[in-house]
Amino acid sequence: DAKTTQPPSMDCAEGRAANLPCNHSTISGNEYVYWYRQIHSQGPQYIIHGLKNNETNEMASLIITEDRKSSTLILPHATLRDTAVYYCIVRGNNNAGNMLTFGGGTRLMVKP
Amino acid sequence: NAGVMQNPRHLVRRRGQEARLRCSPMKGHSHVYWYRQLPEEGLKFMVYLQKENIIDESGMPKERFSAEFPKEGPSILRIQQVVRGDSAAYFCASSPSGRVPTYEQYFGPGTRLTVT
């Protein structure tokens, strides 16, 4: 699975959009981009995933660049409850183990 | 719709005792994954199981750790002769399929194991 690079931490003002970047320059054609988050001491929570088209759901939007080497998770109106560690994970069908490989993630702090 | 259930939520064991951690996947999910999170570290994959089969145990320590997912009942992660280094949060996840894109893994609340 492709390696991902994320900034270790970011701040965001409450009510503003939070834009979390992820680099995955070695991604291959059949690999998806997944985003999870872990709010302090809780189990990780699935947010969204995509292959090459932009995706949106009730939680967030995922923007994937045309060359697929990077992506951005957008929380349109961040709240204090969005404070968490956000993980960008690239995953394909070619790994029989099917595990998720969590890197260091981005620690997002939403401030009042 | 119940999510992934794990019990106990907190477990304290003395060195040398056995720890048994249970995971009930979401209804309709037949794939179970166990992850470990050491203090101040990220989650690390341990094992992937389907009913009655271990599919991938590449992340399991070679000794003292075992996992099962029987035909009936929850998945069990068993740690024999626990040591202080086993103190961690153990998370279970389940998914309806092992293949992308229907691959989202849903995590339980975790079991926090403390070895004294």
PDB file of all heavy atoms in Angstrom, chain A residues 32 34 36 38 41-44 46 49 91 93 96-100 102, chain B residues 33 35 37 43 45 48 56 58 91 98-101 103-105 107-108 112:
ATOM      1  N   TYR A  32      -7.488   3.138  -3.267  1.00  0.00           N
ATOM      2  CA  TYR A  32      -8.439   4.131  -2.800  1.00  0.00           C
ATOM      3  C   TYR A  32      -7.809   4.971  -1.692  1.00  0.00           C
ATOM      4  O   TYR A  32      -6.928   4.515  -0.968  1.00  0.00           O
ATOM      5  CB  TYR A  32      -9.693   3.457  -2.251  1.00  0.00           C
ATOM      6  CG  TYR A  32     -10.599   2.857  -3.300  1.00  0.00           C
ATOM      7  CD1 TYR A  32     -10.250   1.701  -3.986  1.00  0.00           C
ATOM      8  CD2 TYR A  32     -11.825   3.443  -3.589  1.00  0.00           C
ATOM      9  CE1 TYR A  32     -11.086   1.156  -4.945  1.00  0.00           C
ATOM     10  CE2 TYR A  32     -12.678   2.901  -4.541  1.00  0.00           C
ATOM     11  CZ  TYR A  32     -12.295   1.765  -5.211  1.00  0.00           C
ATOM     12  OH  TYR A  32     -13.134   1.225  -6.153  1.00  0.00           O
ATOM     13  N   TYR A  34      -8.710   6.628   1.843  1.00  0.00           N
ATOM     14  CA  TYR A  34      -9.666   6.571   2.953  1.00  0.00           C
ATOM     15  C   TYR A  34      -9.266   7.595   4.016  1.00  0.00           C
ATOM     16  O   TYR A  34      -8.081   7.838   4.246  1.00  0.00           O
ATOM     17  CB  TYR A  34      -9.656   5.186   3.618  1.00  0.00           C
ATOM     18  CG  TYR A  34     -10.377   4.112   2.852  1.00  0.00           C
ATOM     19  CD1 TYR A  34      -9.786   3.478   1.768  1.00  0.00           C
ATOM     20  CD2 TYR A  34     -11.655   3.715   3.227  1.00  0.00           C
ATOM     21  CE1 TYR A  34     -10.452   2.495   1.062  1.00  0.00           C
ATOM     22  CE2 TYR A  34     -12.327   2.728   2.534  1.00  0.00           C
ATOM     23  CZ  TYR A  34     -11.722   2.121   1.455  1.00  0.00           C
ATOM     24  OH  TYR A  34     -12.387   1.159   0.765  1.00  0.00           O
ATOM     25  N   TYR A  36     -10.067   8.414   8.131  1.00  0.00           N
ATOM     26  CA  TYR A  36     -10.643   8.057   9.421  1.00  0.00           C
ATOM     27  C   TYR A  36     -10.239   9.145  10.411  1.00  0.00           C
ATOM     28  O   TYR A  36      -9.278   9.884  10.204  1.00  0.00           O
ATOM     29  CB  TYR A  36     -10.099   6.713   9.920  1.00  0.00           C
ATOM     30  CG  TYR A  36     -10.699   5.505   9.276  1.00  0.00           C
ATOM     31  CD1 TYR A  36     -10.326   5.112   7.988  1.00  0.00           C
ATOM     32  CD2 TYR A  36     -11.644   4.733   9.949  1.00  0.00           C
ATOM     33  CE1 TYR A  36     -10.884   3.997   7.394  1.00  0.00           C
ATOM     34  CE2 TYR A  36     -12.204   3.601   9.360  1.00  0.00           C
ATOM     35  CZ  TYR A  36     -11.815   3.248   8.087  1.00  0.00           C
ATOM     36  OH  TYR A  36     -12.379   2.144   7.504  1.00  0.00           O
ATOM     37  N   GLN A  38      -9.872   9.787  14.886  1.00  0.00           N
ATOM     38  CA  GLN A  38      -9.932   9.205  16.209  1.00  0.00           C
ATOM     39  C   GLN A  38     -10.042  10.345  17.211  1.00  0.00           C
ATOM     40  O   GLN A  38      -9.083  11.115  17.398  1.00  0.00           O
ATOM     41  CB  GLN A  38      -8.703   8.341  16.511  1.00  0.00           C
ATOM     42  CG  GLN A  38      -8.815   7.604  17.838  1.00  0.00           C
ATOM     43  CD  GLN A  38      -7.661   6.660  18.094  1.00  0.00           C
ATOM     44  OE1 GLN A  38      -6.564   6.831  17.581  1.00  0.00           O
ATOM     45  NE2 GLN A  38      -7.913   5.634  18.908  1.00  0.00           N
ATOM     46  N   SER A  41      -9.216   8.816  22.750  1.00  0.00           N
ATOM     47  CA  SER A  41      -9.484   7.562  23.464  1.00  0.00           C
ATOM     48  C   SER A  41     -10.615   6.737  22.867  1.00  0.00           C
ATOM     49  O   SER A  41     -10.922   5.677  23.392  1.00  0.00           O
ATOM     50  CB  SER A  41      -9.793   7.821  24.946  1.00  0.00           C
ATOM     51  OG  SER A  41      -8.678   8.387  25.573  1.00  0.00           O
ATOM     52  N   GLN A  42     -11.233   7.210  21.800  1.00  0.00           N
ATOM     53  CA  GLN A  42     -12.310   6.421  21.197  1.00  0.00           C
ATOM     54  C   GLN A  42     -11.773   5.576  20.040  1.00  0.00           C
ATOM     55  O   GLN A  42     -10.637   5.758  19.596  1.00  0.00           O
ATOM     56  CB  GLN A  42     -13.420   7.341  20.687  1.00  0.00           C
ATOM     57  CG  GLN A  42     -14.092   8.161  21.774  1.00  0.00           C
ATOM     58  CD  GLN A  42     -15.197   9.038  21.221  1.00  0.00           C
ATOM     59  OE1 GLN A  42     -15.725   8.793  20.137  1.00  0.00           O
ATOM     60  NE2 GLN A  42     -15.553  10.073  21.960  1.00  0.00           N
ATOM     61  N   GLY A  43     -12.594   4.679  19.544  1.00  0.00           N
ATOM     62  CA  GLY A  43     -12.227   3.915  18.362  1.00  0.00           C
ATOM     63  C   GLY A  43     -12.254   4.796  17.123  1.00  0.00           C
ATOM     64  O   GLY A  43     -13.037   5.743  17.046  1.00  0.00           O
ATOM     65  N   PRO A  44     -11.403   4.527  16.147  1.00  0.00           N
ATOM     66  CA  PRO A  44     -11.413   5.319  14.909  1.00  0.00           C
ATOM     67  C   PRO A  44     -12.785   5.286  14.248  1.00  0.00           C
ATOM     68  O   PRO A  44     -13.509   4.298  14.327  1.00  0.00           O
ATOM     69  CB  PRO A  44     -10.366   4.619  14.044  1.00  0.00           C
ATOM     70  CG  PRO A  44      -9.454   3.953  15.018  1.00  0.00           C
ATOM     71  CD  PRO A  44     -10.343   3.527  16.144  1.00  0.00           C
ATOM     72  N   TYR A  46     -14.812   5.973  10.628  1.00  0.00           N
ATOM     73  CA  TYR A  46     -14.726   6.143   9.177  1.00  0.00           C
ATOM     74  C   TYR A  46     -15.369   7.468   8.781  1.00  0.00           C
ATOM     75  O   TYR A  46     -16.435   7.840   9.287  1.00  0.00           O
ATOM     76  CB  TYR A  46     -15.446   4.990   8.484  1.00  0.00           C
ATOM     77  CG  TYR A  46     -15.743   5.228   7.013  1.00  0.00           C
ATOM     78  CD1 TYR A  46     -14.757   5.059   6.059  1.00  0.00           C
ATOM     79  CD2 TYR A  46     -17.013   5.631   6.613  1.00  0.00           C
ATOM     80  CE1 TYR A  46     -15.034   5.285   4.718  1.00  0.00           C
ATOM     81  CE2 TYR A  46     -17.293   5.845   5.277  1.00  0.00           C
ATOM     82  CZ  TYR A  46     -16.302   5.681   4.332  1.00  0.00           C
ATOM     83  OH  TYR A  46     -16.573   5.908   3.010  1.00  0.00           O
ATOM     84  N   HIS A  49     -14.268   7.912   1.667  1.00  0.00           N
ATOM     85  CA  HIS A  49     -13.215   7.373   0.816  1.00  0.00           C
ATOM     86  C   HIS A  49     -13.519   7.702  -0.647  1.00  0.00           C
ATOM     87  O   HIS A  49     -14.674   8.033  -0.996  1.00  0.00           O
ATOM     88  CB  HIS A  49     -13.048   5.867   1.017  1.00  0.00           C
ATOM     89  CG  HIS A  49     -14.122   5.006   0.397  1.00  0.00           C
ATOM     90  ND1 HIS A  49     -15.302   4.745   1.051  1.00  0.00           N
ATOM     91  CD2 HIS A  49     -14.172   4.365  -0.790  1.00  0.00           C
ATOM     92  CE1 HIS A  49     -16.040   3.960   0.279  1.00  0.00           C
ATOM     93  NE2 HIS A  49     -15.393   3.715  -0.841  1.00  0.00           N
ATOM     94  N   ARG A  91      -5.379   2.455   0.278  1.00  0.00           N
ATOM     95  CA  ARG A  91      -5.644   1.020   0.386  1.00  0.00           C
ATOM     96  C   ARG A  91      -6.116   0.473  -0.941  1.00  0.00           C
ATOM     97  O   ARG A  91      -7.003   1.027  -1.569  1.00  0.00           O
ATOM     98  CB  ARG A  91      -6.712   0.808   1.453  1.00  0.00           C
ATOM     99  CG  ARG A  91      -7.046  -0.617   1.747  1.00  0.00           C
ATOM    100  CD  ARG A  91      -5.883  -1.314   2.399  1.00  0.00           C
ATOM    101  NE  ARG A  91      -6.180  -2.719   2.609  1.00  0.00           N
ATOM    102  CZ  ARG A  91      -6.023  -3.643   1.648  1.00  0.00           C
ATOM    103  NH1 ARG A  91      -5.529  -3.289   0.478  1.00  0.00           N
ATOM    104  NH2 ARG A  91      -6.345  -4.880   1.885  1.00  0.00           N
ATOM    105  N   ASN A  93      -6.741  -3.361  -3.431  1.00  0.00           N
ATOM    106  CA  ASN A  93      -7.251  -4.723  -3.357  1.00  0.00           C
ATOM    107  C   ASN A  93      -6.153  -5.760  -3.445  1.00  0.00           C
ATOM    108  O   ASN A  93      -6.416  -6.940  -3.461  1.00  0.00           O
ATOM    109  CB  ASN A  93      -8.226  -4.976  -4.499  1.00  0.00           C
ATOM    110  CG  ASN A  93      -9.644  -5.072  -3.994  1.00  0.00           C
ATOM    111  OD1 ASN A  93      -9.871  -5.371  -2.846  1.00  0.00           O
ATOM    112  ND2 ASN A  93     -10.585  -4.810  -4.870  1.00  0.00           N
ATOM    113  N   ALA A  96      -3.759  -9.090   0.569  1.00  0.00           N
ATOM    114  CA  ALA A  96      -4.665 -10.108   1.089  1.00  0.00           C
ATOM    115  C   ALA A  96      -5.007  -9.888   2.539  1.00  0.00           C
ATOM    116  O   ALA A  96      -6.010 -10.382   3.016  1.00  0.00           O
ATOM    117  CB  ALA A  96      -4.036 -11.488   0.905  1.00  0.00           C
ATOM    118  N   GLY A  97      -4.178  -9.149   3.251  1.00  0.00           N
ATOM    119  CA  GLY A  97      -4.448  -8.919   4.650  1.00  0.00           C
ATOM    120  C   GLY A  97      -5.565  -7.950   4.903  1.00  0.00           C
ATOM    121  O   GLY A  97      -6.236  -8.017   5.907  1.00  0.00           O
ATOM    122  N   ASN A  98      -5.785  -7.030   3.998  1.00  0.00           N
ATOM    123  CA  ASN A  98      -6.885  -6.077   4.110  1.00  0.00           C
ATOM    124  C   ASN A  98      -6.822  -5.194   5.341  1.00  0.00           C
ATOM    125  O   ASN A  98      -7.814  -4.606   5.715  1.00  0.00           O
ATOM    126  CB  ASN A  98      -8.236  -6.804   4.094  1.00  0.00           C
ATOM    127  CG  ASN A  98      -8.566  -7.306   2.719  1.00  0.00           C
ATOM    128  OD1 ASN A  98      -8.545  -6.546   1.767  1.00  0.00           O
ATOM    129  ND2 ASN A  98      -8.818  -8.580   2.592  1.00  0.00           N
ATOM    130  N   MET A  99      -5.685  -5.097   5.967  1.00  0.00           N
ATOM    131  CA  MET A  99      -5.622  -4.238   7.147  1.00  0.00           C
ATOM    132  C   MET A  99      -5.530  -2.775   6.751  1.00  0.00           C
ATOM    133  O   MET A  99      -5.187  -2.436   5.617  1.00  0.00           O
ATOM    134  CB  MET A  99      -4.403  -4.614   7.993  1.00  0.00           C
ATOM    135  CG  MET A  99      -3.059  -4.099   7.480  1.00  0.00           C
ATOM    136  SD  MET A  99      -2.471  -5.018   6.047  1.00  0.00           S
ATOM    137  CE  MET A  99      -1.886  -6.502   6.857  1.00  0.00           C
ATOM    138  N   LEU A 100      -5.863  -1.912   7.694  1.00  0.00           N
ATOM    139  CA  LEU A 100      -5.633  -0.481   7.546  1.00  0.00           C
ATOM    140  C   LEU A 100      -4.292  -0.156   8.173  1.00  0.00           C
ATOM    141  O   LEU A 100      -3.992  -0.600   9.278  1.00  0.00           O
ATOM    142  CB  LEU A 100      -6.738   0.312   8.250  1.00  0.00           C
ATOM    143  CG  LEU A 100      -8.139   0.188   7.661  1.00  0.00           C
ATOM    144  CD1 LEU A 100      -9.161   0.822   8.588  1.00  0.00           C
ATOM    145  CD2 LEU A 100      -8.194   0.853   6.293  1.00  0.00           C
ATOM    146  N   PHE A 102      -2.248   2.691   9.688  1.00  0.00           N
ATOM    147  CA  PHE A 102      -2.374   4.038  10.229  1.00  0.00           C
ATOM    148  C   PHE A 102      -0.996   4.663  10.384  1.00  0.00           C
ATOM    149  O   PHE A 102      -0.105   4.092  11.006  1.00  0.00           O
ATOM    150  CB  PHE A 102      -3.057   4.004  11.606  1.00  0.00           C
ATOM    151  CG  PHE A 102      -4.513   3.655  11.558  1.00  0.00           C
ATOM    152  CD1 PHE A 102      -4.931   2.329  11.514  1.00  0.00           C
ATOM    153  CD2 PHE A 102      -5.474   4.652  11.556  1.00  0.00           C
ATOM    154  CE1 PHE A 102      -6.274   2.007  11.472  1.00  0.00           C
ATOM    155  CE2 PHE A 102      -6.823   4.338  11.521  1.00  0.00           C
ATOM    156  CZ  PHE A 102      -7.228   3.016  11.476  1.00  0.00           C
TER     157      PHE A 102
ATOM    158  N   TYR B  33     -11.283  -7.497  12.527  1.00  0.00           N
ATOM    159  CA  TYR B  33      -9.884  -7.081  12.586  1.00  0.00           C
ATOM    160  C   TYR B  33      -9.580  -6.637  14.007  1.00  0.00           C
ATOM    161  O   TYR B  33     -10.411  -5.999  14.651  1.00  0.00           O
ATOM    162  CB  TYR B  33      -9.623  -5.899  11.638  1.00  0.00           C
ATOM    163  CG  TYR B  33     -10.196  -6.070  10.245  1.00  0.00           C
ATOM    164  CD1 TYR B  33     -11.545  -5.852  10.003  1.00  0.00           C
ATOM    165  CD2 TYR B  33      -9.383  -6.447   9.183  1.00  0.00           C
ATOM    166  CE1 TYR B  33     -12.086  -6.010   8.732  1.00  0.00           C
ATOM    167  CE2 TYR B  33      -9.914  -6.604   7.910  1.00  0.00           C
ATOM    168  CZ  TYR B  33     -11.265  -6.387   7.701  1.00  0.00           C
ATOM    169  OH  TYR B  33     -11.789  -6.551   6.442  1.00  0.00           O
ATOM    170  N   TYR B  35      -6.728  -4.435  16.275  1.00  0.00           N
ATOM    171  CA  TYR B  35      -5.634  -3.474  16.245  1.00  0.00           C
ATOM    172  C   TYR B  35      -5.211  -3.170  17.685  1.00  0.00           C
ATOM    173  O   TYR B  35      -6.023  -3.224  18.610  1.00  0.00           O
ATOM    174  CB  TYR B  35      -6.075  -2.153  15.585  1.00  0.00           C
ATOM    175  CG  TYR B  35      -6.408  -2.252  14.120  1.00  0.00           C
ATOM    176  CD1 TYR B  35      -7.658  -2.702  13.703  1.00  0.00           C
ATOM    177  CD2 TYR B  35      -5.488  -1.885  13.143  1.00  0.00           C
ATOM    178  CE1 TYR B  35      -7.985  -2.788  12.350  1.00  0.00           C
ATOM    179  CE2 TYR B  35      -5.811  -1.960  11.783  1.00  0.00           C
ATOM    180  CZ  TYR B  35      -7.052  -2.412  11.407  1.00  0.00           C
ATOM    181  OH  TYR B  35      -7.366  -2.502  10.068  1.00  0.00           O
ATOM    182  N   GLN B  37      -3.187  -0.226  20.123  1.00  0.00           N
ATOM    183  CA  GLN B  37      -2.660   1.130  20.198  1.00  0.00           C
ATOM    184  C   GLN B  37      -1.922   1.284  21.523  1.00  0.00           C
ATOM    185  O   GLN B  37      -2.549   1.358  22.588  1.00  0.00           O
ATOM    186  CB  GLN B  37      -3.770   2.170  20.085  1.00  0.00           C
ATOM    187  CG  GLN B  37      -3.268   3.597  19.982  1.00  0.00           C
ATOM    188  CD  GLN B  37      -4.371   4.569  19.611  1.00  0.00           C
ATOM    189  OE1 GLN B  37      -5.531   4.392  19.978  1.00  0.00           O
ATOM    190  NE2 GLN B  37      -4.032   5.625  18.866  1.00  0.00           N
ATOM    191  N   LEU B  43      -2.370   3.270  15.767  1.00  0.00           N
ATOM    192  CA  LEU B  43      -2.921   1.915  15.757  1.00  0.00           C
ATOM    193  C   LEU B  43      -2.090   1.015  14.864  1.00  0.00           C
ATOM    194  O   LEU B  43      -1.691   1.401  13.767  1.00  0.00           O
ATOM    195  CB  LEU B  43      -4.358   1.921  15.236  1.00  0.00           C
ATOM    196  CG  LEU B  43      -5.425   2.444  16.180  1.00  0.00           C
ATOM    197  CD1 LEU B  43      -5.578   3.941  16.018  1.00  0.00           C
ATOM    198  CD2 LEU B  43      -6.748   1.738  15.915  1.00  0.00           C
ATOM    199  N   PHE B  45      -2.072  -2.879  13.134  1.00  0.00           N
ATOM    200  CA  PHE B  45      -2.831  -4.073  12.802  1.00  0.00           C
ATOM    201  C   PHE B  45      -2.256  -5.301  13.496  1.00  0.00           C
ATOM    202  O   PHE B  45      -1.036  -5.462  13.594  1.00  0.00           O
ATOM    203  CB  PHE B  45      -2.815  -4.277  11.289  1.00  0.00           C
ATOM    204  CG  PHE B  45      -3.285  -5.623  10.836  1.00  0.00           C
ATOM    205  CD1 PHE B  45      -4.648  -5.912  10.778  1.00  0.00           C
ATOM    206  CD2 PHE B  45      -2.385  -6.605  10.455  1.00  0.00           C
ATOM    207  CE1 PHE B  45      -5.090  -7.153  10.353  1.00  0.00           C
ATOM    208  CE2 PHE B  45      -2.817  -7.841  10.023  1.00  0.00           C
ATOM    209  CZ  PHE B  45      -4.176  -8.116   9.972  1.00  0.00           C
ATOM    210  N   TYR B  48      -6.532 -10.466  11.175  1.00  0.00           N
ATOM    211  CA  TYR B  48      -7.764 -10.355  10.386  1.00  0.00           C
ATOM    212  C   TYR B  48      -8.384 -11.739  10.330  1.00  0.00           C
ATOM    213  O   TYR B  48      -7.727 -12.712   9.956  1.00  0.00           O
ATOM    214  CB  TYR B  48      -7.417  -9.826   9.007  1.00  0.00           C
ATOM    215  CG  TYR B  48      -8.441  -9.998   7.904  1.00  0.00           C
ATOM    216  CD1 TYR B  48      -9.797  -9.830   8.128  1.00  0.00           C
ATOM    217  CD2 TYR B  48      -8.020 -10.296   6.606  1.00  0.00           C
ATOM    218  CE1 TYR B  48     -10.710  -9.967   7.096  1.00  0.00           C
ATOM    219  CE2 TYR B  48      -8.917 -10.421   5.562  1.00  0.00           C
ATOM    220  CZ  TYR B  48     -10.271 -10.265   5.818  1.00  0.00           C
ATOM    221  OH  TYR B  48     -11.161 -10.397   4.790  1.00  0.00           O
ATOM    222  N   ASP B  56      -5.186 -13.368   8.112  1.00  0.00           N
ATOM    223  CA  ASP B  56      -3.881 -12.699   8.140  1.00  0.00           C
ATOM    224  C   ASP B  56      -3.526 -12.406   9.586  1.00  0.00           C
ATOM    225  O   ASP B  56      -4.252 -11.681  10.249  1.00  0.00           O
ATOM    226  CB  ASP B  56      -3.937 -11.406   7.321  1.00  0.00           C
ATOM    227  CG  ASP B  56      -2.603 -10.668   7.245  1.00  0.00           C
ATOM    228  OD1 ASP B  56      -1.650 -11.042   7.964  1.00  0.00           O
ATOM    229  OD2 ASP B  56      -2.512  -9.695   6.470  1.00  0.00           O
ATOM    230  N   SER B  58      -0.286 -11.431  10.401  1.00  0.00           N
ATOM    231  CA  SER B  58       1.069 -10.916  10.248  1.00  0.00           C
ATOM    232  C   SER B  58       1.451  -9.893  11.315  1.00  0.00           C
ATOM    233  O   SER B  58       2.633  -9.655  11.543  1.00  0.00           O
ATOM    234  CB  SER B  58       1.244 -10.301   8.852  1.00  0.00           C
ATOM    235  OG  SER B  58       0.326  -9.247   8.640  1.00  0.00           O
ATOM    236  N   PHE B  91      -8.394  -2.441  19.878  1.00  0.00           N
ATOM    237  CA  PHE B  91      -9.607  -2.108  19.127  1.00  0.00           C
ATOM    238  C   PHE B  91      -9.952  -3.230  18.164  1.00  0.00           C
ATOM    239  O   PHE B  91      -9.085  -3.792  17.506  1.00  0.00           O
ATOM    240  CB  PHE B  91      -9.419  -0.812  18.332  1.00  0.00           C
ATOM    241  CG  PHE B  91      -9.282   0.416  19.189  1.00  0.00           C
ATOM    242  CD1 PHE B  91      -8.036   0.945  19.475  1.00  0.00           C
ATOM    243  CD2 PHE B  91     -10.414   1.042  19.695  1.00  0.00           C
ATOM    244  CE1 PHE B  91      -7.907   2.075  20.266  1.00  0.00           C
ATOM    245  CE2 PHE B  91     -10.299   2.180  20.484  1.00  0.00           C
ATOM    246  CZ  PHE B  91      -9.043   2.688  20.777  1.00  0.00           C
ATOM    247  N   GLY B  98     -14.215  -7.950   2.658  1.00  0.00           N
ATOM    248  CA  GLY B  98     -12.798  -7.659   2.739  1.00  0.00           C
ATOM    249  C   GLY B  98     -12.258  -6.963   1.518  1.00  0.00           C
ATOM    250  O   GLY B  98     -11.067  -6.721   1.395  1.00  0.00           O
ATOM    251  N   ARG B  99     -13.163  -6.641   0.596  1.00  0.00           N
ATOM    252  CA  ARG B  99     -12.702  -6.109  -0.676  1.00  0.00           C
ATOM    253  C   ARG B  99     -13.142  -4.663  -0.826  1.00  0.00           C
ATOM    254  O   ARG B  99     -14.269  -4.325  -0.566  1.00  0.00           O
ATOM    255  CB  ARG B  99     -13.296  -6.929  -1.830  1.00  0.00           C
ATOM    256  CG  ARG B  99     -13.012  -8.413  -1.700  1.00  0.00           C
ATOM    257  CD  ARG B  99     -11.547  -8.721  -1.880  1.00  0.00           C
ATOM    258  NE  ARG B  99     -11.135  -8.620  -3.262  1.00  0.00           N
ATOM    259  CZ  ARG B  99      -9.886  -8.804  -3.680  1.00  0.00           C
ATOM    260  NH1 ARG B  99      -8.944  -9.061  -2.804  1.00  0.00           N
ATOM    261  NH2 ARG B  99      -9.586  -8.710  -4.954  1.00  0.00           N
ATOM    262  N   VAL B 100     -12.250  -3.814  -1.288  1.00  0.00           N
ATOM    263  CA  VAL B 100     -12.644  -2.445  -1.607  1.00  0.00           C
ATOM    264  C   VAL B 100     -13.621  -2.495  -2.765  1.00  0.00           C
ATOM    265  O   VAL B 100     -13.573  -3.411  -3.564  1.00  0.00           O
ATOM    266  CB  VAL B 100     -11.419  -1.582  -1.961  1.00  0.00           C
ATOM    267  CG1 VAL B 100     -10.496  -1.443  -0.774  1.00  0.00           C
ATOM    268  CG2 VAL B 100     -10.672  -2.133  -3.156  1.00  0.00           C
ATOM    269  N   PRO B 101     -14.494  -1.498  -2.961  1.00  0.00           N
ATOM    270  CA  PRO B 101     -14.637  -0.338  -2.111  1.00  0.00           C
ATOM    271  C   PRO B 101     -15.573  -0.533  -0.920  1.00  0.00           C
ATOM    272  O   PRO B 101     -15.675   0.335  -0.093  1.00  0.00           O
ATOM    273  CB  PRO B 101     -15.209   0.714  -3.069  1.00  0.00           C
ATOM    274  CG  PRO B 101     -16.050  -0.092  -3.997  1.00  0.00           C
ATOM    275  CD  PRO B 101     -15.324  -1.397  -4.182  1.00  0.00           C
ATOM    276  N   TYR B 103     -15.539  -1.520   1.907  1.00  0.00           N
ATOM    277  CA  TYR B 103     -14.475  -1.987   2.756  1.00  0.00           C
ATOM    278  C   TYR B 103     -14.409  -1.247   4.077  1.00  0.00           C
ATOM    279  O   TYR B 103     -13.590  -1.547   4.913  1.00  0.00           O
ATOM    280  CB  TYR B 103     -13.163  -1.798   1.993  1.00  0.00           C
ATOM    281  CG  TYR B 103     -11.938  -2.130   2.774  1.00  0.00           C
ATOM    282  CD1 TYR B 103     -11.650  -3.435   3.098  1.00  0.00           C
ATOM    283  CD2 TYR B 103     -11.096  -1.117   3.206  1.00  0.00           C
ATOM    284  CE1 TYR B 103     -10.530  -3.749   3.831  1.00  0.00           C
ATOM    285  CE2 TYR B 103      -9.971  -1.418   3.946  1.00  0.00           C
ATOM    286  CZ  TYR B 103      -9.680  -2.740   4.251  1.00  0.00           C
ATOM    287  OH  TYR B 103      -8.574  -3.037   4.985  1.00  0.00           O
ATOM    288  N   GLU B 104     -15.309  -0.277   4.250  1.00  0.00           N
ATOM    289  CA  GLU B 104     -15.187   0.538   5.452  1.00  0.00           C
ATOM    290  C   GLU B 104     -15.171  -0.345   6.676  1.00  0.00           C
ATOM    291  O   GLU B 104     -16.005  -1.232   6.822  1.00  0.00           O
ATOM    292  CB  GLU B 104     -16.364   1.524   5.578  1.00  0.00           C
ATOM    293  CG  GLU B 104     -16.542   2.456   4.405  1.00  0.00           C
ATOM    294  CD  GLU B 104     -17.499   1.886   3.388  1.00  0.00           C
ATOM    295  OE1 GLU B 104     -18.701   2.102   3.515  1.00  0.00           O
ATOM    296  OE2 GLU B 104     -17.009   1.213   2.464  1.00  0.00           O
ATOM    297  N   GLN B 105     -14.202  -0.123   7.532  1.00  0.00           N
ATOM    298  CA  GLN B 105     -14.126  -0.854   8.783  1.00  0.00           C
ATOM    299  C   GLN B 105     -14.738   0.019   9.875  1.00  0.00           C
ATOM    300  O   GLN B 105     -14.401   1.190  10.005  1.00  0.00           O
ATOM    301  CB  GLN B 105     -12.673  -1.195   9.124  1.00  0.00           C
ATOM    302  CG  GLN B 105     -12.055  -2.197   8.161  1.00  0.00           C
ATOM    303  CD  GLN B 105     -10.645  -2.620   8.563  1.00  0.00           C
ATOM    304  OE1 GLN B 105     -10.191  -2.354   9.665  1.00  0.00           O
ATOM    305  NE2 GLN B 105      -9.967  -3.281   7.655  1.00  0.00           N
ATOM    306  N   PHE B 107     -15.207   0.560  13.840  1.00  0.00           N
ATOM    307  CA  PHE B 107     -14.456   0.228  15.036  1.00  0.00           C
ATOM    308  C   PHE B 107     -15.331   0.227  16.286  1.00  0.00           C
ATOM    309  O   PHE B 107     -16.282   1.012  16.406  1.00  0.00           O
ATOM    310  CB  PHE B 107     -13.309   1.226  15.248  1.00  0.00           C
ATOM    311  CG  PHE B 107     -12.148   0.999  14.324  1.00  0.00           C
ATOM    312  CD1 PHE B 107     -12.188   1.418  13.006  1.00  0.00           C
ATOM    313  CD2 PHE B 107     -11.010   0.344  14.775  1.00  0.00           C
ATOM    314  CE1 PHE B 107     -11.119   1.208  12.145  1.00  0.00           C
ATOM    315  CE2 PHE B 107      -9.927   0.131  13.925  1.00  0.00           C
ATOM    316  CZ  PHE B 107      -9.989   0.558  12.612  1.00  0.00           C
ATOM    317  N   GLY B 108     -14.951  -0.642  17.203  1.00  0.00           N
ATOM    318  CA  GLY B 108     -15.573  -0.638  18.513  1.00  0.00           C
ATOM    319  C   GLY B 108     -14.918   0.381  19.424  1.00  0.00           C
ATOM    320  O   GLY B 108     -13.952   1.046  19.030  1.00  0.00           O
ATOM    321  N   ARG B 112      -9.311  -1.287  27.159  1.00  0.00           N
ATOM    322  CA  ARG B 112      -8.063  -0.767  27.703  1.00  0.00           C
ATOM    323  C   ARG B 112      -7.518  -1.760  28.715  1.00  0.00           C
ATOM    324  O   ARG B 112      -8.102  -1.956  29.776  1.00  0.00           O
ATOM    325  CB  ARG B 112      -8.286   0.607  28.316  1.00  0.00           C
ATOM    326  CG  ARG B 112      -8.162   1.695  27.261  1.00  0.00           C
ATOM    327  CD  ARG B 112      -9.165   2.826  27.427  1.00  0.00           C
ATOM    328  NE  ARG B 112      -9.168   3.656  26.221  1.00  0.00           N
ATOM    329  CZ  ARG B 112      -9.953   3.420  25.170  1.00  0.00           C
ATOM    330  NH1 ARG B 112     -10.818   2.420  25.197  1.00  0.00           N
ATOM    331  NH2 ARG B 112      -9.898   4.187  24.102  1.00  0.00           N
TER     332      ARG B 112
END
